[in-house]
Amino acid sequence: MSTTSENFISKFRNWIRQSLYIKIASIGFIIILLMIPNSIIKNLIHERNYRQQEVISEVSNKWGNTQQVIGPVLTIPYKTFYENQDGKKLEIIKHCNFLPEQIEINGEINPESRKRGIYNVVLYQTSINSIGYFKQPDIKKLGISEENVLFDKAFIQISISDMAGINDKIKLTFDNDTYRMESGIKKMNGFNSGVKIPIKLNRISKELKFSFDLNLNGSHFLTFGPVGKETLVNLNSTWGSPSFMGSFLPDDRSISKEGFNASWKILDLNRNYPQSWIGEQQNLLQSSFGVELIQTVDEYSKNLRSAKYALLVISLTFLVFFFFEVINKQKVHPMHYTLIGLSISIFYFLLLSLSEHIGFNLAYLISSTVIVGMIVSYSLSIFDTKFLTIVLLGILSSIMGFIFIILQLEDFALLAGSVGLAIVLASVMYYSRNIDWNNVGKIV
């Protein structure tokens, strides 16, 4: 090979090593490659979260799932007649349904926390007392002849979504008679599971009073249906982080670390089904409302949010090293950038594994301390002066602290992030104001 060719190759290699634009392109390429481990950590977070949901579902199935209580509903069969093609008169049994004039529900929710491996499952046991009354059923209002009504076949139904959560026998007091409720609900009006009992229907009393108690195990949330012409619900619990859900929010509520109290008052005008009807087509499951016992500390959602900022953390860290190269003439090899980027990726694996055992905040402190210490120690072999290493320590600590603050400010995360990035950009513009980018031919 001629000397001229060797000189050209040598100059070309030096240009590649020293060109600012090649360095920028190589840094960008490294950042793109580092999104691969970031994608892996996101998938791992989803996988661990899915495993947690499996454990919660498994424990809840054995203890009691979400509970939805709707009722009571008074159902009365009646006979209708029609003629078939042969002119023969046939009888069909249909049903008419009546809802309470008023129902008052008082419930106490006692939360329990169960551990399964490294996962925590929130369960509850609730004691519910319901009292109220029906008006004397107005059969004529529905256009039914009383002679066709089977008053002796009337029955009461209460829908309970998860029968496995029933802890005690259910006694219904109806018009001064006491009944033991039985399983085997008639699937009508949206009811899929629950209890029912045939009752003696007093045709003289204007008000048919009732009361019953429920002792249920459940998980996640507890809801009720507004079946009364006036429905009153009062709930209290020692759980300090409730989420009120469904079609109606409580009229009054108080929440503290010691627990919560909430009360609802709902009228028949607030829902989309009547007080009485013929047939089985009304869906009483709609318009339900209640409370969910939420876990305020969701380690996996915080880990996922943290991983979404990986691109920002890597980019800001590389930006610091790049400006040290340009302003202080400190040579940083692409392999240095790669190892530094990988250490940041390791931060998210470390954060996930630690947070499952000691909580997110402490895990973040330990993980960020380890990784920042690793990068700063590594930079001692890159930079000529300890001053740059000290500056790097301060900047990296600020970056990790900035991300932590954003993660804590869920409602104001966008605002804090926007302000923070604006400050970063302003700082970059300020410290690079004297650089003549047109004449920066090489870094060193």
Side-chain angles (χ1 to χ4, degrees):
M1 184 180 295
S2 65
T3 304
T4 303
S5 299
E6 291 178 354
N7 289 337
F8 174 78
I9 294 174
S10 177
K11 289 180 180 180
F12 181 73
R13 288 176 177 174
N14 289 334
W15 176 78
I16 291 177
R17 287 196 299 266
Q18 297 176 354
S19 172
L20 177 66
Y21 306 108
I22 294 296
K23 175 55 69 73
I24 293 174
S26 64
I27 292 174
F29 180 71
I30 293 171
I31 291 176
I32 293 174
L33 289 180
L34 289 172
M35 290 301 100
I36 297 176
N38 181 248
S39 177
I40 294 174
I41 186 62
K42 287 181 180 178
N43 290 335
L44 181 60
I45 294 171
H46 285 299
E47 179 184 332
R48 302 293 287 183
N49 187 33
Y50 179 74
R51 173 57 183 158
Q52 182 189 45
Q53 297 306 317
E54 283 187 329
V55 171
I56 292 175
S57 179
E58 180 184 348
V59 175
S60 298
N61 286 335
K62 296 177 180 179
W63 172 267
N65 279 300
T66 59
Q67 293 290 9
Q68 184 180 46
V69 179
I70 302 176
V73 178
L74 173 60
T75 301
I76 306 174
Y78 68 97
K79 296 182 289 186
T80 61
F81 303 91
Y82 77 99
E83 291 186 0
N84 63 11
Q85 294 177 351
D86 300 328
K88 186 177 180 181
K89 191 175 183 180
L90 300 178
E91 177 184 293
I92 295 180
I93 302 297
K94 293 188 176 181
H95 297 85
C96 54
N97 305 276
F98 301 88
L99 297 180
E101 189 72 8
Q102 184 185 68
I103 181 171
E104 181 177 351
I105 300 171
N106 295 287
E108 182 177 352
I109 303 173
N110 300 308
E112 297 187 21
S113 184
R114 299 288 179 91
K115 293 286 290 185
R116 173 67 66 88
I118 63 173
Y119 302 109
N120 188 52
V121 184
V122 177
L123 309 169
Y124 68 79
Q125 186 276 328
T126 181
S127 299
I128 299 170
N129 172 257
S130 297
I131 59 174
Y133 69 93
F134 290 90
K135 289 178 64 176
Q136 186 65 234
D138 189 351
I139 299 296
K140 293 181 179 180
K141 183 179 178 180
L142 296 176
I144 302 172
S145 175
E146 287 199 14
E147 63 183 17
N148 294 325
V149 179
L150 305 175
F151 290 108
D152 60 327
K153 302 293 185 181
F155 58 91
I156 291 283
Q157 292 196 120
I158 302 171
S159 174
I160 301 173
S161 58
D162 188 3
M163 301 285 284
I166 298 177
N167 279 331
D168 203 354
K169 57 186 177 182
I170 303 172
K171 290 185 178 181
L172 170 72
T173 300
F174 184 82
D175 195 30
N176 297 321
D177 292 321
T178 301
Y179 305 87
R180 185 185 184 278
M181 302 294 289
E182 301 173 352
S183 59
I185 196 169
K186 184 174 178 60
K187 294 186 177 182
M188 55 193 302
N189 302 313
F191 291 180
N192 293 310
S193 61
V195 292
K196 74 171 185 176
I197 194 68
I199 50 94
K200 297 177 182 178
L201 190 58
N202 184 345
R203 295 293 293 153
I204 300 175
S205 301
K206 292 183 178 180
E207 293 184 357
L208 304 171
K209 295 183 179 180
F210 67 85
S211 66
F212 62 90
D213 295 323
L214 293 175
N215 191 342
L216 299 175
N217 289 339
S219 57
H220 302 299
F221 58 80
L222 172 66
T223 59
F224 302 92
V227 294
K229 194 167 188 178
E230 181 182 68
T231 302
L232 305 173
V233 176
N234 301 287
L235 296 178
N236 67 84
S237 175
T238 56
W239 189 257
S241 56
S243 175
F244 301 108
M245 56 179 296
S247 300
F248 307 99
L249 294 176
D251 299 303
D252 296 298
R253 64 179 182 177
S254 61
I255 304 173
S256 66
K257 293 181 179 180
E258 288 71 34
F260 73 88
N261 292 279
S263 61
W264 291 259
K265 179 180 179 181
I266 301 167
L267 304 177
D268 60 327
L269 299 174
N270 302 132
R271 60 171 203 241
N272 194 31
Y273 50 84
Q275 282 296 109
S276 60
W277 66 94
I278 294 174
E280 306 174 359
Q281 302 307 313
Q282 296 297 333
N283 184 5
L284 302 187
L285 302 184
Q286 63 177 324
S287 302
S288 294
F289 62 94
V291 64
E292 179 183 5
L293 305 184
I294 62 173
Q295 297 189 63
T296 55
V297 180
D298 188 346
E299 310 300 345
Y300 295 112
S301 64
K302 287 188 175 181
N303 271 279
L304 185 58
R305 290 183 61 212
S306 176
K308 291 179 179 179
Y309 289 103
L311 177 61
L312 177 63
V313 174
I314 293 173
S315 298
L316 290 178
T317 303
F318 282 9
L319 182 65
V320 173
F321 278 89
F322 176 74
F323 269 88
F324 282 175
E325 285 196 76
V326 174
I327 297 175
N328 296 284
K329 304 300 181 180
Q330 297 290 320
K331 183 68 173 177
V332 182
H333 193 272
M335 183 55 67
H336 294 148
Y337 281 101
T338 302
L339 293 175
I340 291 168
L342 288 175
S343 67
I344 296 175
S345 297
I346 293 296
F347 162 77
Y348 295 101
F349 285 97
L350 189 61
L351 175 61
L352 174 62
S353 58
L354 286 176
S355 64
E356 290 182 328
H357 299 276
I358 61 176
F360 181 83
N361 291 350
L362 183 57
Y364 191 96
L365 175 63
I366 294 174
S367 302
S368 58
T369 300
V370 169
I371 298 305
V372 169
M374 185 186 304
I375 295 175
V376 170
S377 299
Y378 185 61
S379 69
L380 288 172
S381 63
I382 301 174
F383 301 139
D384 295 334
T385 64
K386 291 185 178 180
F387 173 76
L388 291 181
T389 304
I390 295 174
V391 173
L392 178 65
L393 173 62
I395 294 176
L396 292 182
S397 299
S398 299
I399 292 173
M400 302 306 289
F402 170 63
I403 298 299
F404 181 77
I405 292 174
I406 292 178
L407 294 174
Q408 303 304 311
L409 301 174
E410 293 187 6
D411 294 334
F412 299 97
L414 180 60
L415 176 61
S418 301
V419 172
L421 289 177
I423 293 174
V424 170
L425 180 58
S427 301
V428 170
M429 294 172 67
Y430 176 78
Y431 287 106
S432 64
R433 68 191 186 281
N434 294 323
I435 298 177
D436 186 359
W437 295 102
N438 290 319
N439 294 318
V440 178
K442 56 184 180 179
I443 299 173
V444 295

